[in-house]
Amino acid sequence: MEQNTAPYREHNRTSLTKEKLKQGFLDNLYFIQGKFPTLASRNDYYLALAYTIRDRMLHRWISTATNYYESGARTVCYLSAEFLMGPHLGNNLVNMGIFGMVKEVVEELGLNFEELLAQEEEPGLGNGGLGRLAACFIDSLATLEIPALGYGIRYEFGIFEQTIVDGWQMEKTDKWLRNGNPWEVPRPEWAQEVRLGGHTEQYTDENGRLRVRWVPAKIVLGIPYDTPILGYRTNTANTLRLWKSEAPESFDFEVFNRGDYYGAVDQKVTSENISKVLYPNDEQLSGKQLRLEQQYFFVSCSLRDMLRVLAIQNIPLSRFHEKFAVQLNDTHPAIAVAELMRLLLDEYLVDWDDAWEITQRTFAYTNHTLLPEALEQWPLPLFASVLPRHLEIIFEINSRFLDEVRIKFLGDEARLARLSLINEGGERYVRMAHLACVGSHAINGVAELHSELLKQDVLKDFYELWPEKFRNKTNGVTPRRWMILSNPSLASLVSDRIGNGWVRDLEQLRQLEPMADDADFRKEWWDVKRANKVAFAQYIFKRTGILVDPESMFDFQVKRIHEYKRQHLNVLHIISLYRRLKENPNLEVPPRTFLFGGKAAPGYHTAKRMIKLITSVGEVINRDPDIRDRIKVVFVPNFNVTTGQKIYPAADLSEQISTAGKEASGTGNMKFSMNGALTIGTLDGANVEIREEVGAENFFLFGLTADEVYALRASGYHPYDYYNTNPHLKDVIDLLRGGSFSRGDADLFRGLTDGLLHHDPYLLFADFQSYVDCQEEVSRAYLDRDHWTRMSILNAVRSGKFSSDRSIRQYCEDIWKAEPVPITLLGQNEEPT
Ligand code: OX2
C-alpha cells in the first residue's frame, strides 16, 4: 500500500524547526505528562523532552523497517545478555545533529538543559566491558547503515547502584523503570512462548518416522520491548529488542489451577522472575538455574522472532543463514546453537544434516575472556531439568563431533576428553564455550594478543582442529558517546581545525598530528583538559566532600574491581609514594589525585575488601597534614556510563595494569586515550595495540609480558622472596600488616596481605618494582607540561583505530558478510538531515 506520510512529517511532532520543537515540547508536557509549567516537575520536563525527541525519531524508525522489509537484506543479529546503553537522550540529540538547537529551545523556555539530561535514569543492563561493547556496536551498526538488531533481556533491575558507607561498598537495587521509560515501545503482538523443564517423549509421525516431542513443565511469554537506535547523521534507526518475561494468559490458571488463586499468582510471579534482575557478576559464572533460564529465554524468543520475520518475508527456511548472521556475545547466548537445532528438527521437521549446516552457517562466537572461572559450564542434572530436549540434542551433536575428531586424531583419547562438549572429570558439566565453537563458523577474540592466547591456550584444541575458524576482531568504542557527547569542548577544538569528518572516520584525527608542535594549539588543548578537570573536581566535592586540586595530575583507575585488574597494585604504589613523601618532604613530584571507581560483585569478598583498602588508605593520606595536599586518594562511587562520561575527559593518566595475559582487551583504555589521557600499562589486551598506535614514546610501559608471566609461573613463583629482597615492598606490606591504614586493626587487611605473600596469583609482587619505577617516570614527565601536552595530543589523534566503526566494518567484511542498506525516508527522497 502506497502511503502518504507527508502530513506526519509536517506535524508539530516531527518538524525540526526551533518553533515547532518548542511547541512539541509544551504539547507533550500537557498531553502526555498532563501538566502545565507551574506544576511540572523536573522529571515531567525530562519526559516531555524525551517524547519530543522520540517523536522525531519515529519517521526514521518506520522508514528503516520498511526499507529493510522491502530489500530483504541480510541482517545482523547481535545476541547479548547485556546491553549497557547509558542515557539515551543526549546521544540521540548528537546522532540527529540537533543537540545545540534543542539546548537553545530548552534554555529559551527558562529551563536548565543539563539538569534535564541528568534526570534520565541510565539503563544499566550490563556489568562492564562486555555489555558496553554491545552498546557501542549497535551504535556503529546504525551509523554504518547495516541492517541489525540487538537482542537481549529487559531486566527490571539492572546493575545495582553502589554507595560507599564507612569505606565499604553497599548495594541498592536499580529501579531504572520507576519513572517510566520513554524510549521503548512494547510489541505484545510479537510475543513468543518459551518452554521450560518437563520431559521428552518419542512418537512416530504420519510418515512412520520416529520423532521427539518436548512436554514442558511450564511456559512463559516473552514480550519484546523495542528501542530505536539511531545512526550518526544517517536516516537509519535500527532496533534494540529486549524481552520481558510474563505469565501467559492462555496457559491460564483455569485449566491447571482451578480455584487455586494463590497458586496461580505464584506462577505469575515465577514467570516474571526470569527477566527480573541482571546477575551482577562480571567474569564469574553463577551456576544458578534462573541464570540458565534467562539465557534460554532470550535466545529462544530471539530465534523465534527471526523465524517470524523469515516467514513474513516469504524466505524459505533453507536460507535462514543467508538472511541472518547471528553473533554470540560470549557464551551467555550459546544455547542458541542447540535451540536453533531443536526448532529446525522438532518444529520444522528439517533433517539433521540440513539443520546442522544452517546452524553452523548462522552463528559466530566472540570469546571475551581467558579467565577459567568465567568459562560457563552447567551441571548436567541442572541442565537436564531446565532443558531436557536440548541436552539430548547436545549429546547428539557431541557424538557426531567426537566421531570427526577420532578420525582426524586417531587414538588420541586425551584430546577427545578435552574437546568433548561434556566435562566428564568428576561431576559432569555442559561446556558452553565448546558448544559455541562447534556450532559456529567463526570464532574471534577481542584484541590481537587475546586472539593469539586463545589459539595457544584456552581454545588450542579447537584451533588445531579448525584453524580456519579463528579470527581477531579488536574491540572499539563509539566516538559519538565517548568524545562528542562527553567531551564537547575537545570535539569542537578538533572540528574547528579539521571539520567533522572524523566523527564517522576516526582515522582523520591524524591530520592533527602536526598541531602537537604548535604551542597555541597545545595551550588550547591544555585549557580544555583543565576545564574538564575543574568540572570533575566540583562533581567529586558534591559526591564525596573531598576537595581536590585541578592543578594536580588526575590519575584514574576505573573498571570493575577484580584481583586480575590489580587495583591493589595501584594502592601499593600509593603507599610507597606516601612513605617517601613523608621521609623527604622536598621530593620533587607533581601533586597527584589518585581516583578509583568500579563495582565489586556483591559476592566477591576480596574485591569488596579491595574497595575498603582504597578508601582506608585514602582516609589516612587525605588528612595527613605532612602531605599538604600533594596526594589525594578518592573513590568515586557508582562508576557507570553516566559517571564515565565525566571521567574520561578529565583524566591525565589512565591505569591499565592487569597481569599480562588476563585482560582480554579492555575498552576503557581506548576511551581514556581518545580523550587525551596517557596510559601507564602492561602489555595486555588492547594496551599492546594502543601502544603501537600512539607510539612507545607516548606510553608508560611496565611489568612482565604474558610469556614471562607464563614462564615465571612454570618455574615456580615465590612472592615471599620478593618481599624479603625488596625492602621497599617489605616496608609497604608491613605498614598494611601493622594496621597503619586500619586504625590499628591488624586484621582488616590480613587476608589480602597474606594472600599476596603466600600466593599472589596475579603477580603483584613480581611487577611491583617495575611499576613504581614507571610511576616515577610518569611524575617526571608531568612536570614538563609542554611535553606532556604533546603526548596527550598524540594519544588522542592516533586513536582512530579504536573506533567501534572499524571493529564493525571488520566483522561485516570478514564474518557477517553484511552490506549497508541506506535508508530512503518514506514519502520523499530526502537527504539525511
Ligand atoms: C570483558 C573483558 O574482561 C574485557 O577485557 C573486554 O574488553 C570486554 O569484555 C569486551 O570485550 N565479561 N566481561 C568481559 O569478558 C567477560 C566474560
Side-chain angles (χ1 to χ4, degrees), residues 762-805:
Y762 298 103
L763 279 64
L764 278 75
F765 284 12
D767 277 344
F768 173 80
Q769 195 54 51
S770 161
Y771 181 55
V772 170
D773 295 344
C774 192
Q775 287 286 18
E776 271 181 39
E777 225 185 288
V778 170
S779 287
R780 270 195 302 277
Y782 195 74
L783 289 172
D784 181 350
R785 178 184 294 194
D786 247 11
H787 183 59
W788 184 276
T789 311
R790 218 188 106 79
M791 293 196 288
S792 163
I793 294 169
L794 291 176
N795 261 268
V797 306
R798 292 176 177 174
S799 65
K801 174 175 175 184
F802 304 105
S803 166
S804 45
D805 297 347

Short mmCIF file of all heavy atoms in Angstrom, two decimals, residues 762-805:
data_model
loop_
_atom_site.label_atom_id
_atom_site.label_comp_id
_atom_site.label_asym_id
_atom_site.label_seq_id
_atom_site.Cartn_x
_atom_site.Cartn_y
_atom_site.Cartn_z
N TYR A 762 48.13 -13.11 40.93
CA TYR A 762 48.21 -12.13 39.83
C TYR A 762 49.54 -11.37 39.80
O TYR A 762 49.66 -10.34 39.14
CB TYR A 762 46.99 -11.20 39.86
CG TYR A 762 45.73 -12.02 39.67
CD1 TYR A 762 44.90 -12.32 40.75
CD2 TYR A 762 45.41 -12.57 38.43
CE1 TYR A 762 43.77 -13.11 40.59
CE2 TYR A 762 44.29 -13.37 38.26
CZ TYR A 762 43.47 -13.64 39.33
OH TYR A 762 42.37 -14.44 39.17
N LEU A 763 50.52 -11.90 40.52
CA LEU A 763 51.90 -11.43 40.39
C LEU A 763 52.12 -9.94 40.66
O LEU A 763 52.91 -9.28 39.98
CB LEU A 763 52.44 -11.79 38.99
CG LEU A 763 52.92 -13.25 38.83
CD1 LEU A 763 51.77 -14.23 39.00
CD2 LEU A 763 53.56 -13.47 37.47
N LEU A 764 51.45 -9.44 41.68
CA LEU A 764 51.67 -8.03 42.04
C LEU A 764 53.13 -7.82 42.47
O LEU A 764 53.75 -6.82 42.09
CB LEU A 764 50.75 -7.62 43.21
CG LEU A 764 49.32 -7.22 42.87
CD1 LEU A 764 48.49 -8.45 42.53
CD2 LEU A 764 48.68 -6.45 44.01
N PHE A 765 53.63 -8.76 43.27
CA PHE A 765 54.99 -8.57 43.80
C PHE A 765 56.02 -8.62 42.67
O PHE A 765 56.99 -7.86 42.69
CB PHE A 765 55.30 -9.63 44.86
CG PHE A 765 54.63 -9.38 46.19
CD1 PHE A 765 53.63 -8.42 46.32
CD2 PHE A 765 55.02 -10.09 47.34
CE1 PHE A 765 53.01 -8.18 47.53
CE2 PHE A 765 54.41 -9.84 48.57
CZ PHE A 765 53.40 -8.89 48.68
N ALA A 766 55.79 -9.47 41.72
CA ALA A 766 56.75 -9.58 40.61
C ALA A 766 56.78 -8.28 39.79
O ALA A 766 57.82 -7.92 39.24
CB ALA A 766 56.38 -10.76 39.72
N ASP A 767 55.66 -7.58 39.72
CA ASP A 767 55.60 -6.35 38.92
C ASP A 767 55.79 -5.08 39.74
O ASP A 767 55.86 -3.98 39.18
CB ASP A 767 54.26 -6.26 38.18
CG ASP A 767 54.26 -7.06 36.88
OD1 ASP A 767 55.35 -7.41 36.40
OD2 ASP A 767 53.16 -7.31 36.33
N PHE A 768 55.86 -5.22 41.07
CA PHE A 768 55.85 -4.04 41.93
C PHE A 768 56.94 -3.02 41.59
O PHE A 768 56.67 -1.84 41.34
CB PHE A 768 55.95 -4.46 43.40
CG PHE A 768 56.11 -3.30 44.35
CD1 PHE A 768 55.00 -2.55 44.74
CD2 PHE A 768 57.35 -2.94 44.86
CE1 PHE A 768 55.13 -1.47 45.61
CE2 PHE A 768 57.48 -1.87 45.73
CZ PHE A 768 56.38 -1.14 46.11
N GLN A 769 58.19 -3.48 41.56
CA GLN A 769 59.28 -2.51 41.39
C GLN A 769 59.21 -1.83 40.02
O GLN A 769 59.41 -0.62 39.90
CB GLN A 769 60.64 -3.20 41.58
CG GLN A 769 61.79 -2.21 41.79
CD GLN A 769 61.51 -1.24 42.95
OE1 GLN A 769 61.16 -1.66 44.05
NE2 GLN A 769 61.62 0.06 42.70
N SER A 770 58.91 -2.62 39.04
CA SER A 770 58.81 -2.07 37.69
C SER A 770 57.71 -1.00 37.62
O SER A 770 57.84 0.04 36.97
CB SER A 770 58.55 -3.24 36.72
OG SER A 770 58.04 -2.80 35.52
N TYR A 771 56.63 -1.27 38.33
CA TYR A 771 55.51 -0.32 38.36
C TYR A 771 55.91 0.98 39.06
O TYR A 771 55.66 2.09 38.57
CB TYR A 771 54.32 -0.98 39.06
CG TYR A 771 53.06 -0.15 39.15
CD1 TYR A 771 52.46 0.40 38.01
CD2 TYR A 771 52.44 0.07 40.39
CE1 TYR A 771 51.29 1.13 38.09
CE2 TYR A 771 51.26 0.81 40.48
CZ TYR A 771 50.70 1.34 39.34
OH TYR A 771 49.54 2.07 39.43
N VAL A 772 56.56 0.83 40.21
CA VAL A 772 56.97 2.02 40.96
C VAL A 772 57.96 2.86 40.14
O VAL A 772 57.84 4.09 40.06
CB VAL A 772 57.59 1.60 42.32
CG1 VAL A 772 58.25 2.78 43.01
CG2 VAL A 772 56.52 0.97 43.22
N ASP A 773 58.90 2.19 39.50
CA ASP A 773 59.86 2.93 38.66
C ASP A 773 59.14 3.66 37.53
O ASP A 773 59.46 4.81 37.21
CB ASP A 773 60.90 1.96 38.05
CG ASP A 773 61.77 1.32 39.13
OD1 ASP A 773 61.78 1.84 40.27
OD2 ASP A 773 62.42 0.29 38.83
N CYS A 774 58.20 2.98 36.94
CA CYS A 774 57.47 3.58 35.82
C CYS A 774 56.65 4.79 36.29
O CYS A 774 56.57 5.80 35.59
CB CYS A 774 56.57 2.51 35.19
SG CYS A 774 55.89 3.00 33.61
N GLN A 775 56.08 4.67 37.50
CA GLN A 775 55.32 5.81 38.04
C GLN A 775 56.23 7.01 38.28
O GLN A 775 55.79 8.16 38.16
CB GLN A 775 54.62 5.41 39.36
CG GLN A 775 53.42 4.48 39.17
CD GLN A 775 52.19 5.19 38.60
OE1 GLN A 775 52.29 6.28 38.03
NE2 GLN A 775 51.04 4.56 38.75
N GLU A 776 57.48 6.75 38.60
CA GLU A 776 58.42 7.86 38.76
C GLU A 776 58.64 8.57 37.44
O GLU A 776 58.72 9.81 37.37
CB GLU A 776 59.75 7.36 39.32
CG GLU A 776 59.76 7.36 40.83
CD GLU A 776 61.09 6.88 41.41
OE1 GLU A 776 62.16 7.24 40.86
OE2 GLU A 776 61.04 6.14 42.40
N GLU A 777 58.70 7.77 36.41
CA GLU A 777 58.84 8.35 35.06
C GLU A 777 57.62 9.20 34.71
O GLU A 777 57.74 10.29 34.15
CB GLU A 777 58.91 7.18 34.08
CG GLU A 777 59.97 7.25 33.02
CD GLU A 777 59.77 6.07 32.10
OE1 GLU A 777 60.06 4.92 32.51
OE2 GLU A 777 59.29 6.30 30.98
N VAL A 778 56.45 8.71 35.07
CA VAL A 778 55.22 9.46 34.83
C VAL A 778 55.29 10.81 35.53
O VAL A 778 55.00 11.85 34.94
CB VAL A 778 53.97 8.67 35.32
CG1 VAL A 778 52.72 9.54 35.30
CG2 VAL A 778 53.76 7.41 34.50
N SER A 779 55.69 10.77 36.78
CA SER A 779 55.75 12.01 37.55
C SER A 779 56.72 13.01 36.92
O SER A 779 56.41 14.20 36.80
CB SER A 779 56.19 11.72 38.98
OG SER A 779 55.13 11.12 39.68
N ARG A 780 57.87 12.51 36.52
CA ARG A 780 58.85 13.41 35.87
C ARG A 780 58.25 14.01 34.61
O ARG A 780 58.37 15.20 34.35
CB ARG A 780 60.12 12.62 35.51
CG ARG A 780 61.17 12.63 36.61
CD ARG A 780 62.53 12.17 36.09
NE ARG A 780 62.49 10.84 35.50
CZ ARG A 780 62.57 9.71 36.20
NH1 ARG A 780 62.68 9.75 37.53
NH2 ARG A 780 62.53 8.53 35.60
N ALA A 781 57.58 13.16 33.83
CA ALA A 781 57.02 13.65 32.56
C ALA A 781 55.96 14.72 32.79
O ALA A 781 55.87 15.69 32.04
CB ALA A 781 56.43 12.47 31.78
N TYR A 782 55.20 14.57 33.86
CA TYR A 782 54.11 15.53 34.09
C TYR A 782 54.64 16.90 34.47
O TYR A 782 53.98 17.92 34.27
CB TYR A 782 53.16 15.01 35.18
CG TYR A 782 51.84 15.74 35.21
CD1 TYR A 782 50.87 15.52 34.24
CD2 TYR A 782 51.56 16.68 36.22
CE1 TYR A 782 49.66 16.20 34.26
CE2 TYR A 782 50.35 17.36 36.25
CZ TYR A 782 49.40 17.11 35.28
OH TYR A 782 48.20 17.78 35.30
N LEU A 783 55.87 16.92 35.01
CA LEU A 783 56.46 18.20 35.40
C LEU A 783 56.75 19.07 34.16
O LEU A 783 56.79 20.28 34.25
CB LEU A 783 57.74 17.98 36.21
CG LEU A 783 57.53 17.44 37.63
CD1 LEU A 783 58.86 17.05 38.27
CD2 LEU A 783 56.79 18.46 38.50
N ASP A 784 56.94 18.43 33.04
CA ASP A 784 57.18 19.16 31.79
C ASP A 784 55.85 19.28 31.04
O ASP A 784 55.49 18.44 30.22
CB ASP A 784 58.22 18.40 30.96
CG ASP A 784 58.55 19.12 29.65
OD1 ASP A 784 57.84 20.09 29.30
OD2 ASP A 784 59.51 18.68 28.98
N ARG A 785 55.12 20.34 31.35
CA ARG A 785 53.77 20.47 30.86
C ARG A 785 53.69 20.45 29.33
O ARG A 785 52.80 19.85 28.74
CB ARG A 785 53.16 21.78 31.37
CG ARG A 785 51.75 22.01 30.87
CD ARG A 785 51.20 23.32 31.29
NE ARG A 785 51.01 23.39 32.73
CZ ARG A 785 50.28 24.35 33.32
NH1 ARG A 785 49.70 25.29 32.60
NH2 ARG A 785 50.17 24.36 34.63
N ASP A 786 54.64 21.10 28.68
CA ASP A 786 54.63 21.16 27.22
C ASP A 786 54.76 19.77 26.60
O ASP A 786 54.04 19.42 25.68
CB ASP A 786 55.80 22.01 26.75
CG ASP A 786 55.29 23.29 26.12
OD1 ASP A 786 54.08 23.56 26.26
OD2 ASP A 786 56.12 24.00 25.52
N HIS A 787 55.72 19.05 27.16
CA HIS A 787 55.94 17.72 26.63
C HIS A 787 54.75 16.81 26.90
O HIS A 787 54.33 16.02 26.05
CB HIS A 787 57.22 17.13 27.25
CG HIS A 787 57.56 15.78 26.71
ND1 HIS A 787 57.80 15.57 25.37
CD2 HIS A 787 57.66 14.57 27.33
CE1 HIS A 787 58.05 14.28 25.18
NE2 HIS A 787 57.96 13.65 26.35
N TRP A 788 54.20 16.94 28.11
CA TRP A 788 53.04 16.12 28.47
C TRP A 788 51.87 16.40 27.50
O TRP A 788 51.21 15.48 26.99
CB TRP A 788 52.61 16.40 29.91
CG TRP A 788 51.50 15.52 30.37
CD1 TRP A 788 50.16 15.72 30.16
CD2 TRP A 788 51.61 14.28 31.08
NE1 TRP A 788 49.43 14.68 30.71
CE2 TRP A 788 50.30 13.79 31.27
CE3 TRP A 788 52.69 13.54 31.58
CZ2 TRP A 788 50.04 12.59 31.95
CZ3 TRP A 788 52.43 12.35 32.26
CH2 TRP A 788 51.11 11.88 32.43
N THR A 789 51.62 17.66 27.24
CA THR A 789 50.50 18.02 26.37
C THR A 789 50.72 17.47 24.96
O THR A 789 49.79 17.00 24.31
CB THR A 789 50.34 19.55 26.31
OG1 THR A 789 50.34 20.06 27.64
CG2 THR A 789 49.04 19.94 25.63
N ARG A 790 51.95 17.55 24.51
CA ARG A 790 52.29 16.96 23.22
C ARG A 790 51.91 15.48 23.18
O ARG A 790 51.26 15.00 22.26
CB ARG A 790 53.81 17.10 23.02
CG ARG A 790 54.26 17.41 21.66
CD ARG A 790 55.79 17.31 21.58
NE ARG A 790 56.13 16.09 20.87
CZ ARG A 790 56.08 15.98 19.55
NH1 ARG A 790 55.76 17.01 18.82
NH2 ARG A 790 56.37 14.84 18.97
N MET A 791 52.30 14.77 24.23
CA MET A 791 51.99 13.34 24.28
C MET A 791 50.47 13.11 24.36
O MET A 791 49.94 12.18 23.75
CB MET A 791 52.68 12.69 25.49
CG MET A 791 54.20 12.67 25.38
SD MET A 791 54.97 11.51 26.54
CE MET A 791 54.74 12.35 28.10
N SER A 792 49.82 13.97 25.10
CA SER A 792 48.36 13.86 25.24
C SER A 792 47.68 14.02 23.87
O SER A 792 46.81 13.22 23.49
CB SER A 792 47.87 14.92 26.23
OG SER A 792 46.49 15.13 26.11
N ILE A 793 48.11 15.03 23.13
CA ILE A 793 47.53 15.25 21.79
C ILE A 793 47.78 14.03 20.91
O ILE A 793 46.86 13.53 20.24
CB ILE A 793 48.15 16.51 21.14
CG1 ILE A 793 47.74 17.76 21.93
CG2 ILE A 793 47.73 16.64 19.68
CD1 ILE A 793 48.49 19.03 21.53
N LEU A 794 49.01 13.54 20.95
CA LEU A 794 49.33 12.41 20.07
C LEU A 794 48.53 11.16 20.46
O LEU A 794 48.12 10.37 19.60
CB LEU A 794 50.83 12.13 20.07
CG LEU A 794 51.64 13.22 19.38
CD1 LEU A 794 53.14 12.96 19.49
CD2 LEU A 794 51.24 13.37 17.90
N ASN A 795 48.28 10.99 21.75
CA ASN A 795 47.45 9.86 22.16
C ASN A 795 46.06 9.96 21.53
O ASN A 795 45.55 9.00 20.97
CB ASN A 795 47.32 9.81 23.69
CG ASN A 795 48.28 8.79 24.29
OD1 ASN A 795 47.92 7.64 24.48
ND2 ASN A 795 49.51 9.22 24.54
N ALA A 796 45.47 11.13 21.64
CA ALA A 796 44.10 11.28 21.13
C ALA A 796 44.07 11.13 19.61
O ALA A 796 43.25 10.38 19.07
CB ALA A 796 43.54 12.63 21.55
N VAL A 797 44.95 11.83 18.92
CA VAL A 797 44.80 11.87 17.46
C VAL A 797 45.28 10.59 16.79
O VAL A 797 44.98 10.36 15.62
CB VAL A 797 45.48 13.11 16.83
CG1 VAL A 797 44.99 14.39 17.51
CG2 VAL A 797 47.00 13.01 16.87
N ARG A 798 45.95 9.74 17.54
CA ARG A 798 46.36 8.45 16.97
C ARG A 798 45.49 7.29 17.44
O ARG A 798 45.88 6.14 17.37
CB ARG A 798 47.83 8.18 17.32
CG ARG A 798 48.79 9.14 16.63
CD ARG A 798 50.21 8.91 17.09
NE ARG A 798 51.15 9.79 16.38
CZ ARG A 798 52.45 9.87 16.68
NH1 ARG A 798 52.95 9.13 17.67
NH2 ARG A 798 53.24 10.68 16.00
N SER A 799 44.31 7.62 17.95
CA SER A 799 43.47 6.55 18.49
C SER A 799 42.38 6.13 17.51
O SER A 799 41.45 5.41 17.89
CB SER A 799 42.86 6.97 19.83
OG SER A 799 41.98 8.06 19.61
N GLY A 800 42.51 6.57 16.26
CA GLY A 800 41.48 6.28 15.25
C GLY A 800 41.13 4.81 15.13
O GLY A 800 39.97 4.44 14.91
N LYS A 801 42.12 3.95 15.30
CA LYS A 801 41.87 2.52 15.16
C LYS A 801 40.80 2.04 16.14
O LYS A 801 40.13 1.04 15.89
CB LYS A 801 43.17 1.76 15.41
CG LYS A 801 43.02 0.25 15.44
CD LYS A 801 44.34 -0.48 15.58
CE LYS A 801 44.10 -1.98 15.71
NZ LYS A 801 45.34 -2.74 15.96
N PHE A 802 40.65 2.75 17.26
CA PHE A 802 39.82 2.21 18.33
C PHE A 802 38.36 2.70 18.28
O PHE A 802 37.62 2.59 19.25
CB PHE A 802 40.49 2.45 19.68
CG PHE A 802 41.87 1.86 19.67
CD1 PHE A 802 43.00 2.68 19.57
CD2 PHE A 802 42.04 0.48 19.63
CE1 PHE A 802 44.27 2.13 19.48
CE2 PHE A 802 43.30 -0.08 19.54
CZ PHE A 802 44.43 0.74 19.46
N SER A 803 37.96 3.20 17.11
CA SER A 803 36.54 3.45 16.90
C SER A 803 35.84 2.11 16.67
O SER A 803 36.35 1.25 15.94
CB SER A 803 36.35 4.33 15.67
OG SER A 803 34.99 4.30 15.29
N SER A 804 34.68 1.95 17.28
CA SER A 804 33.92 0.71 17.04
C SER A 804 33.46 0.64 15.58
O SER A 804 33.08 -0.44 15.12
CB SER A 804 32.74 0.61 18.01
OG SER A 804 32.06 1.84 18.11
N ASP A 805 33.48 1.75 14.86
CA ASP A 805 33.15 1.68 13.43
C ASP A 805 34.15 0.77 12.71
O ASP A 805 33.77 -0.02 11.84
CB ASP A 805 33.21 3.08 12.78
CG ASP A 805 32.18 4.03 13.38
OD1 ASP A 805 31.28 3.56 14.10
OD2 ASP A 805 32.31 5.25 13.12
#
